[in-house]
Amino acid sequence: MKVSDIMSDQVICISDGASLKDAHHLMQTRGVRHLPVISEIDGTLVGVLTHKKMIASVMTMLNKYGQGALDRKERYTPITTVMDQDFQHLTADEPLTVVVEYFIENKLGCLPVVDVDKKVLGIVTSSDFIKLCRTLLQQQS
């Protein structure tokens, strides 16, 4: 099996010109925990923002500035200062045997899937692997 067999191709991405508030709102309203960040200039993948990283940033702001200033601080915090810029990505044809080991060894929750031009094609999450396990287990029953 390959990455393309389990990846989600309906990916919610966010622009690198967005704020932390934009990302927070997008995660809440769309029910996602991982946001690939794409360049406004050329549409390439430039970072990844996880729910865990976003919550940590919001909690730091809350503790430092208080509830009253939180909304303003979130609005004026560029997503580029919070996102992970050092991230791994996949191609659609990579074998799942390699990818699953990478997930286990690095304790990752997601890996974006890109084409040769670094345009986002999809995303693979730990939930995608759980769904695959369920399917495989049901086939054995």
Side-chain angles (χ1 to χ4, degrees):
M1 293 185 83
K2 299 182 293 187
V3 165
S4 59
D5 295 323
I6 69 163
M7 74 179 194
S8 302
D9 58 4
Q10 301 295 314
V11 185
I12 307 297
C13 296
I14 193 164
S15 159
D16 64 352
S19 70
L20 182 60
K21 182 73 172 178
D22 297 327
H24 193 165
H25 178 73
L26 192 58
M27 284 183 178
Q28 283 183 322
T29 59
R30 299 302 292 269
V32 296
R33 296 181 303 134
H34 311 96
L35 288 174
V37 181
I38 56 172
S39 168
E40 283 187 356
I41 296 169
D42 60 8
T44 59
L45 181 66
V46 296
V48 175
L49 181 65
T50 64
H51 187 256
K52 183 178 179 180
K53 185 86 178 231
M54 190 265 307
I55 292 296
S57 298
V58 169
M59 292 307 294
T60 299
M61 288 177 191
L62 183 60
N63 290 332
K64 188 171 183 179
Y65 303 108
Q67 182 67 40
L70 179 61
D71 186 64
R72 183 173 48 82
K73 288 293 183 183
E74 269 190 293
R75 232 183 279 133
Y76 293 107
T77 300
I79 196 171
T80 53
T81 63
V82 181
M83 71 183 191
D84 290 321
Q85 295 178 6
D86 182 27
F87 58 91
Q88 297 295 320
H89 59 274
L90 304 169
T91 59
D93 60 349
E94 289 189 65
L96 288 182
T97 52
V98 173
V99 177
V100 73
E101 288 303 321
Y102 192 80
F103 263 84
I104 292 168
E105 290 172 14
N106 295 288
K107 297 182 176 136
L108 297 173
C110 77
L111 285 168
V113 182
V114 297
D115 64 15
V116 294
D117 298 319
K118 289 191 74 180
K119 305 280 173 125
V120 177
L121 298 175
I123 194 166
V124 174
T125 67
S126 53
S127 295
D128 294 321
F129 278 103
I130 299 296
K131 290 173 189 172
L132 174 62
C133 285
R134 179 185 62 198
T135 301
L136 294 174
L137 289 169
Q138 287 172 343
Q139 289 173 355
Q140 289 182 347
S141 298

